[in-house]
Amino acid sequence: MTPAFLLDLDGTLYTDRGAVPGGPGTIAALRLRSIPFRCVTNTTTRTRTALAARLAGYGYDIAAQEILTPAGAAVAHCRARGFHRIAAYAPEAALEDLAGLELGEAPAAVVIGDLGERWSFALLQQAFAQVMAGAEIIALSKDRYFLQRGALTLDAGPFVAALEYATGRTATVVGKPSPEFYRVALDGVGGDPGSTVMVGDDLWSDVRGAQQAGMRGWLVRTGKFREDQLRESGVVPDQVIDSVADVIRAVARDT
């Protein structure tokens, strides 16, 4: 059976140097073969529309509606819990996608995204005080690091972990590797877990997260991939491929 695909963006379809070689051709080949796919990302620095524009600049034919980000999942989670007011520690782009929730004092939840160098002791202290006053911690992602300008850079996960440690509370993760996030992604491709493959460069969010959701997880040797991390992580990908350009070849081999 030909699988459906969930494809990570940063580090898988592109890096800060541009498109991964062969990536745009892979998307074209998936469309030609009518193989369903969706792009799934934990990024909070761009809206879906902005991500689609960036992809187009790299030669990809991917619409905003084919991209799933954690901000929409956060809105759904807050509405399901009856949360109307939040504090958002996230970039402006994420705030746009959090539309419909009120930002203000005495929040029911603090939403943590990737603020990068904007993080400070004062901001962490403010979030800490809000959680200690009863707010839930909602993490748009809990990724450890990403590749930026050739260097591994702290992602949102370490700051989420700091709040968890200080408050004794456990964050609700609404992006990868959340099972809920993967369920929404599966709905997008119209597939079932057993016939869906997640392709990405993150051992924990992409590979292990997908496997825990009943899917297969393929690791690419691009982006933040490190051979020593693969050896030491304890995560065993279903396949390790050189890049997303090898997806079609792997499908042909396995079907």
Side-chain angles (χ1 to χ4, degrees):
M1 177 185 295
T2 301
F5 284 93
L6 303 178
L7 305 169
D8 176 49
L9 292 182
D10 195 357
T12 303
L13 291 188
Y14 60 75
T15 68
D16 53 9
R17 297 179 179 179
V20 169
T26 296
I27 296 299
L30 291 174
R31 292 199 190 280
L32 183 64
R33 290 164 172 77
S34 298
I35 298 175
F37 73 90
R38 283 293 183 274
C39 295
V40 292
T41 179
N42 273 350
T43 187
T44 58
T45 57
R46 287 180 170 86
T47 63
R48 293 194 303 166
T49 300
L51 287 169
R54 182 177 188 180
L55 286 162
Y58 292 152
Y60 286 99
D61 173 24
I62 297 173
Q65 293 76 15
E66 295 175 307
I67 302 170
L68 178 63
T69 69
V75 173
H77 175 80
C78 286
R79 287 175 175 165
R81 293 291 304 274
F83 297 160
H84 303 293
R85 182 177 299 163
I86 65 168
Y89 297 86
E92 292 298 321
L95 298 184
E96 182 179 327
D97 283 346
L98 288 169
L101 298 175
E102 177 187 347
L103 302 179
E105 299 296 325
V110 297
V111 178
I112 308 297
D114 176 24
L115 279 179
E117 294 179 3
R118 290 173 55 194
W119 278 114
S120 66
F121 177 86
L123 279 180
L124 278 173
Q125 173 63 31
Q126 180 176 293
F128 165 74
Q130 290 165 334
V131 175
M132 292 300 287
E136 179 179 328
I137 309 172
I138 298 177
L140 296 182
S141 85
K142 207 176 178 183
D143 289 347
R144 304 177 184 200
Y145 52 80
F146 61 98
L147 186 68
Q148 184 178 57
R149 293 187 289 275
L152 296 180
T153 303
L154 290 178
D155 209 322
F159 301 96
V160 174
L163 283 175
E164 289 181 315
Y165 179 75
T167 63
R169 311 282 179 80
T170 299
T172 298
V173 181
V174 294
K176 296 179 294 180
S178 160
E180 291 77 14
F181 185 86
Y182 276 119
R183 278 197 288 273
V184 174
L186 282 169
D187 288 342
V189 294
D192 61 86
S195 62
T196 303
V197 176
M198 174 69 214
V199 182
D201 68 328
D202 190 297
L203 278 162
W204 298 277
S205 289
D206 295 332
V207 175
R208 185 168 66 187
Q211 290 173 335
Q212 290 177 337
M215 297 179 282
R216 283 172 282 170
W218 291 4
L219 182 68
V220 292
R221 295 180 182 273
T222 55
K224 61 187 173 186
F225 171 84
R226 294 293 185 274
E227 194 70 51
D228 59 337
Q229 288 283 4
L230 175 59
R231 288 195 306 269
E232 299 166 7
S233 67
V235 180
V236 181
D238 293 281
Q239 283 202 52
V240 180
I241 57 178
D242 286 336
S243 79
V244 72
D246 295 323
V247 163
I248 298 299
R249 188 178 305 114
V251 169
R253 184 175 63 245
D254 290 352
T255 55

